[in-house]
Amino acid sequence: MGLVREFYRSTVGKKMAMALSGIVLVLFVLGHMAGNLKIFAGVDLATGDYKIDDYGRFLRAMGAEMLGHSGVLWIVRVVLLACVVIHALTGIQLASLNRRAKPVGYEVRSYRSANAASLTMLYGGLFLMVFITYHILHFTTGTVHFRGFVEGEVYSNVYSAFQNYGIAGFYVVAMALLALHLYHGTWSMFQTLGVDTPRWNKGIRTAAKIVAVAMFLGFSSVPVGISIGALPAPIAQAGTN
Amino acid sequence: MNLTLFVWRQKNADAQGGFERYEISDVSEDSSFLETLDMLNLRLVESGQPTVAFEHDCREGICGSCSMSINGRPHGPKKLTTACQLHMRNYKDGDVIYVEPFRARAFPVVKDLVVDRSAFDRIQQAGGYVSVNTGAAPEANANAIEKDKADEAFDAAACIGCGACVAACPNGSAMLFTAAKVTHLSLLPQGQPERSARVLDMVHTMDAEMFGGCTNHGECQEACPKGISIKYISQLNRDFLSSTVKKALSLRGKMQSQ
């Protein structure tokens, strides 16, 4: 254990903890974004259910034979929560170390390669924690939904929520900030883990851009699509879950 | 040309510093930035005022002494150039220039533009060396080194330890310096015996000296007068991880026999 503590005590070890937890979170966010796009898949003609509602049921039923209903889902949730805690605590620790290391700035400040993404990682991260909390209370528990939340009816819950332009706009802004965070984070984790080399650098930088843009467009397409009326109003469900 | 200089004046490490405004006329575009400060100091002497303290030695861009930030950029606006090699032709008549010491907690101001960079020496002492046996010189061609390895090691070894990377970093991180010093030895066969201990010791010393952590802004690489790439930081990270694993799997010590 001494070696692990020694490793984590160094700024390099802390950065690696951030990178490793970051990888898990990026992969989750990518999967989440892809899953959301099922909202555009419409209704399953055979059952009359929305495909995204079926997808929600699938996520809860996944591995039910082995771990019981929602078993796998809970494991994923616990792992994600652990990653968020590690990522946030380490990030805050590093930010305070960095701030102490540079107590006085320059009268005239001109950055050459630091950008809006790299300079706002802490604030972006803190905002995302608030956003994630709101988002879970909004669509998972329905606590702050206020527009007729019915557990399991994903399509109608999302549709009714984004009837409010304010909420839809807030989600789009949040996704822009997420994209900014990921644009720096995705490249950064390769550099931190020492995987980045001059040969790979261009590809990794491009991949980070693609991830950021795809994430923004993919996630935003749902609130935007509903706001501009591209998705039809929900039909009364044939069967309840 | 005529310039307005705002120069950071600070009596000593504990004193409160502040900017002093100086109008300086007839600056030749062929003079260097340090020569302009020399001129300023001559005029200050003539008028009986205390001169501006700044560090300098070789004035040819290889000693790394001229630790000052000009308009917020270590060594000034020109890439791959130290302050002593920065010529006034990069400025134009009427320019306003702020001159400050390198800013970082690990580099306390000694006086005016002079900072104490001995933290770098302590990082270096923690592992920036190779063991060489005394006695007869080894056969020069006994250690074959690939050309590209040698070049890469040399690029890292070009570090003059000026501290511009720390000064430019928004976190006051010394990762580029430490990475250059670790890597230029770890790429070569002579550096292998201490390779693992070197990277661990130098990184821990760097942290203990209160430098910040790397958040990959890339400002250091832009400021480095020797053009050292952040690829060496990636290499350092890789070495740090593998050395920790190696240490965990080390056979030093004893085991219980059940």
Side-chain angles (χ1 to χ4, degrees), chain B residues 146 160 208:
Chain B
E146 296 153 64
I160 54 176

Side-chain angles (χ1 to χ4, degrees), chain A residues 11 98 102 113-114 118 188 194 196, chain B residues 103 167 207 213 216 219 234 238:
Chain A
T11 50
N98 295 345
K102 194 92 175 180
S113 70
S118 71
S188 211
D196 197 12
Chain B
R103 299 288 192 196
D207 288 335
N216 305 324
E219 285 292 319
S234 182
R238 192 153 60 225

